[in-house]
Amino acid sequence: MESSATTTASSSTGPPLSAALPTGDYEVFLSFRGADVRKRFADHLYTSLARAKIRTFRDEEELEKGEAIESSLVLAIPESKIYIPILSERYASSKWCLTELAQMVECWKQGKGHIILPIFYFVDPRDVRKQQGPYQQAFEEHTTKHTPQTVNEWEEALLKVGKMKGWHVTESHGEGAVVDEVLSKVESHLRSMYTLVTDELVGIDTPVKEVMELLNLGSSTGKVIVGIHGMGGLGKTTLVQAVYNKICAQFDRCCFLDDAREALAKSNGVVSLQSKVISTVLKVNFQVRSVSEGINLIKDRVCKHKLLLIVDDIDDKFEFDRILGKLGDFSSSSRFIFTTRYSRALDFIPDCKLYEPREMSRYFSLQLFSKHAFGMDDPPEEDAGISEEFVKVATGLPLALKVIGSFLFRRERSFWEEKLIELQEIASTSENPLLKRLKISYNDLSPDEKQIFLDISCFFIGSYKDVLYYLWSDCGFYPESGITTLIDRSLMKFDEEDRFWMHDHIRDLGRAIVKEEDVEHPYKRSRIWSFEDTLDMLRKGEGSELVKVVWIDMGFEDDNDILLESKNF
């Protein structure tokens, strides 16, 4: 494309993005030629990308001393997601640059999500396409030194890239503005690539469409808040993850706060949430020191962006003004989504549009159950009848369908029939049928697996596994096989950062099991995860030998020292 530096860039036309996106160490690959380009435009662009925490490859930064250039490029180019060739007058004189460009085009043609954003730096895009002007002389020399096949590959690459939309930098247009536009485009593409992981998308299309209609994305005349409420296990988190994936590329900044209710239950809950918002939006690691500092920073640094903020699982302790500041300070193009089990929690959110997801239909319920019970969309003909019965007792709750289906996977028919009777009795008699349904999977775990499950649900959600594996091994457990069983039963999984993750209802199940050990006295339970209960126990010296694990907040500040003594246990 022949355009001025003020033209907004877009991705190259070509094969559609595939779900199998590049997953290597680099996000952006810069290709350029010449010390003049390096010291001016390339350095400015590289610094801006680095400041935005975007992992960028350029040879002087990434090639270790003595390392072969070609071997490094072979790895760096396919692993990168976005290619930015800076096509200057001297670019075509370098066989390395042309080799890089040819490999970029080859990766792009494979349709695996790679994107090329060319910059025509004081060179006419027509000269690039047709190898005219300074490119003509360079290719006349290449034809005497390289094989016809190699030269043809380079010519084809220049032809492809020369036709792509990009930026044409000239004397009349400032380089700084182009760098800002390139950075904005790169961030937009990366947001669309880094979607939230959600694997339960059965029957989700209609709810996603309805929520997006409430968000009124086409309007920039006012902020929109949507509150999604409904009973636990209904799929609210999966729904907002799917909405996030659909619309995140339309915003300057996006932030997803999960498990807000659990975070706010801690002594530093408000500043913890504020810190996450500020760190995510500004792309820095920042720890807020006080609630007022957090509100001021959000007002001054966060509110100016076109923001998508999703806060998952709030309760009536969530106060918008106290945590995020005044709604009126945010950009009119911003959008907010809150989820909660308690509709009254949304009474405290200003101008909130309400949405209540429906229970999953029988058709989609059977499909979701079958995915986990059989590994296919539909049950085998001989198992269709009993599968329908399990779907009935799950009452359209995705979490129950997933856990029950995983629990029954590859079990004998007699086992299915026995558990169906048990679930039918629970559905007719239990005050909390969902937790009781989930508990049948817990009851079938080995003693060691139960201990690992309870440890994770009470203490270790969000923790990395390495140290904990050593801990459990020292206790005589078998963490590798135990964790595998929990994952197979859909009782937990690892998130994208390899940390323990549980659905909040699964977590609540584990904690309810521990509470049943002694309903009235926390210090007579095996695990104490509430720091307030731990403090109360230590101050009164009421610990017992039943206690195995307690939670202590080492950042807690108190005027009175707390003495830990073994005699308390």
Side-chain angles (χ1 to χ4, degrees):
M1 178 184 85
E2 299 174 36
S3 63
S4 71
T6 56
T7 302
T8 301
S10 63
S11 64
S12 54
T13 56
L17 288 179
S18 165
L21 291 165
T23 57
D25 290 335
Y26 301 104
E27 295 170 309
V28 173
F29 185 97
L30 280 184
S31 175
F32 55 87
R33 168 70 167 170
D36 55 334
V37 178
R38 179 187 302 276
K39 293 177 181 179
R40 293 179 57 188
F41 187 86
D43 187 67
H44 189 176
L45 178 57
Y46 178 84
T47 301
S48 296
L49 292 167
R51 190 176 293 125
K53 308 298 183 185
I54 296 171
R55 180 86 168 123
T56 304
F57 184 102
R58 67 171 180 179
D59 56 5
E60 71 174 16
E61 292 290 331
E62 306 300 343
L63 291 183
E64 296 182 7
K65 191 173 182 179
E67 186 178 359
I69 294 177
E70 188 169 8
S71 63
S72 294
L73 296 180
V74 167
L75 294 175
I77 292 177
E79 288 182 349
S80 300
K81 300 170 177 62
I82 298 174
Y83 308 132
I84 304 180
I86 304 173
L87 299 155
S88 60
E89 289 187 352
R90 297 179 57 201
Y91 188 89
S93 64
S94 168
K95 69 175 184 179
W96 292 118
C97 288
L98 294 174
T99 300
E100 291 171 14
L101 192 71
Q103 190 173 2
M104 293 177 208
V105 170
E106 186 60 33
C107 291
W108 167 76
K109 288 165 63 177
Q110 291 173 8
K112 294 183 178 180
H114 298 91
I115 294 169
I116 302 177
L117 300 176
I119 296 169
F120 303 99
Y121 188 73
F122 295 99
V123 66
D124 193 318
R126 287 171 295 188
D127 290 345
V128 174
R129 290 195 297 268
K130 300 178 181 180
Q131 292 88 61
Q132 299 176 160
Y135 281 54
Q136 180 179 357
Q137 181 180 351
F139 268 83
E140 287 175 353
E141 295 180 7
H142 288 318
T143 55
T144 65
K145 300 177 181 178
H146 305 286
T147 65
Q149 180 181 354
T150 298
V151 173
N152 287 338
E153 290 175 356
W154 293 345
E155 290 175 340
E156 181 183 351
L158 287 169
L159 176 62
K160 292 283 187 184
V161 174
K163 291 181 178 179
M164 293 178 181
K165 293 182 179 180
W167 292 264
H168 186 188
V169 180
T170 65
E171 289 286 358
S172 59
H173 299 285
E175 297 180 11
V178 176
V179 168
D180 291 343
E181 291 178 11
V182 174
L183 176 60
S184 177
K185 183 59 64 173
V186 168
E187 289 180 324
S188 175
H189 282 303
L190 290 177
R191 279 198 299 274
S192 66
M193 292 177 176
Y194 292 139
T195 55
L196 296 173
V197 177
T198 176
D199 53 2
E200 303 304 334
L201 298 180
V202 174
I204 203 74
D205 290 346
T206 297
V208 167
K209 181 180 178 181
E210 291 171 345
V211 171
M212 289 176 62
E213 289 175 352
L214 289 175
L215 289 170
N216 194 17
L217 296 171
S219 172
S220 60
T221 57
K223 295 161 283 289
V224 178
I225 300 178
V226 173
I228 301 175
H229 64 96
M231 68 176 294
L234 197 57
K236 300 183 295 295
T237 300
T238 299
L239 172 58
V240 292
Q241 286 174 334
V243 171
Y244 179 99
N245 292 344
K246 280 275 190 180
I247 68 176
C248 63
Q250 301 180 36
F251 294 83
D252 298 333
R253 295 288 188 270
C254 303
C255 181
F256 193 106
L257 299 177
D258 55 356
D259 212 359
R261 176 167 55 95
E262 180 79 356
L264 288 174
K266 298 177 181 178
S267 58
N268 65 339
V270 173
V271 295
S272 174
L273 289 180
Q274 290 176 329
S275 297
K276 186 171 182 181
V277 171
I278 293 167
S279 298
T280 301
V281 172
L282 301 184
K283 299 183 179 180
V284 295
N285 293 322
F286 188 85
Q287 183 60 50
V288 173
R289 292 169 294 186
S290 67
V291 173
S292 59
E293 179 188 43
I295 289 177
N296 288 332
L297 283 170
I298 290 172
K299 178 180 178 180
D300 294 339
R301 304 291 302 281
V302 173
C303 289
K304 64 182 180 180
H305 294 284
K306 180 182 179 181
L307 176 67
L308 172 63
L309 176 63
I310 297 179
V311 186
D312 189 35
D313 192 24
I314 67 170
D315 60 12
D316 52 11
K317 295 183 180 64
F318 185 93
E319 301 176 50
F320 190 102
D321 288 2
R322 181 168 180 254
I323 298 171
L324 299 171
K326 299 296 183 183
L327 177 63
D329 292 333
F330 287 87
S331 163
S332 61
S333 299
S334 293
R335 297 293 184 268
F336 305 85
I337 305 176
F338 298 90
T339 74
T340 182
R341 301 182 198 175
Y342 317 99
S343 59
R344 67 179 182 274
L346 300 174
D347 294 340
F348 302 94
I349 307 295
D351 303 319
C352 185
K353 299 180 179 180
L354 301 183
Y355 180 81
E356 183 174 11
R358 296 174 290 277
E359 293 177 350
M360 190 171 277
S361 69
R362 186 206 66 81
Y363 172 80
F364 287 124
S365 293
L366 184 60
Q367 187 179 116
L368 181 58
F369 173 81
S370 299
K371 280 181 177 290
H372 292 278
F374 304 106
M376 58 183 73
D377 287 345
D378 300 294
E381 186 176 349
E382 63 272 18
D383 294 316
I386 195 169
S387 296
E388 290 276 8
E389 294 300 316
F390 277 107
V391 166
K392 287 180 183 178
V393 297
T395 61
L397 297 178
L399 178 63
L401 290 161
K402 177 181 176 180
V403 172
I404 294 171
S406 300
F407 174 59
L408 298 171
F409 183 62
R410 293 181 177 172
R411 299 297 189 108
E412 297 293 330
R413 175 79 178 200
S414 58
F415 184 88
W416 280 51
E417 293 169 349
E418 178 183 301
K419 293 304 173 183
L420 178 58
I421 295 172
E422 184 178 345
L423 284 168
Q424 289 171 334
E425 292 176 350
I426 289 172
S428 62
T429 61
S430 175
E431 293 182 0
N432 194 339
L434 176 59
L435 288 188
K436 294 293 185 181
R437 292 181 188 119
L438 300 178
K439 193 176 179 181
I440 67 166
S441 188
Y442 169 83
N443 291 337
D444 195 56
L445 299 173
S446 72
D448 288 357
E449 291 164 350
K450 288 179 179 178
Q451 296 302 310
I452 293 173
F453 171 80
L454 294 178
D455 282 346
I456 297 172
S457 61
C458 292
F459 301 106
F460 299 133
I461 295 173
S463 298
Y464 294 98
K465 64 181 181 181
D466 295 342
V467 175
L468 296 176
Y469 274 36
Y470 288 116
L471 182 152
W472 287 319
S473 296
D474 287 345
C475 292
F477 304 153
Y478 299 94
E480 287 285 356
S481 60
I483 294 299
T484 299
T485 299
L486 297 181
I487 292 173
D488 289 344
R489 302 284 176 83
S490 294
L491 294 176
M492 63 145 290
K493 65 180 180 180
F494 291 108
D495 66 13
E496 63 275 9
E497 296 184 16
D498 212 27
R499 300 174 301 186
F500 290 110
W501 183 90
M502 279 184 176
H503 189 283
D504 53 1
H505 264 293
I506 303 293
R507 177 202 64 206
D508 292 347
L509 168 66
R511 295 182 179 185
I513 291 169
V514 174
K515 284 182 179 179
E516 289 173 356
E517 296 170 359
D518 194 300
V519 176
E520 296 183 1
H521 306 105
Y523 56 88
K524 292 184 179 181
R525 301 171 189 160
S526 61
R527 295 161 177 84
I528 304 177
W529 59 89
S530 166
F531 184 46
E532 287 72 20
D533 287 341
T534 300
L535 285 178
D536 188 58
M537 178 192 68
L538 294 174
R539 285 168 174 156
K540 295 178 180 179
E542 293 179 332
S544 73
E545 61 184 12
L546 298 173
V547 178
K548 297 179 180 179
V549 190
V550 297
W551 173 259
I552 297 177
D553 183 356
M554 301 305 292
F556 176 77
E557 296 181 1
D558 192 275
D559 294 335
N560 301 313
D561 292 334
I562 301 171
L563 182 62
L564 300 179
E565 295 183 292
S566 60
K567 67 180 182 181
N568 289 333
F569 303 95

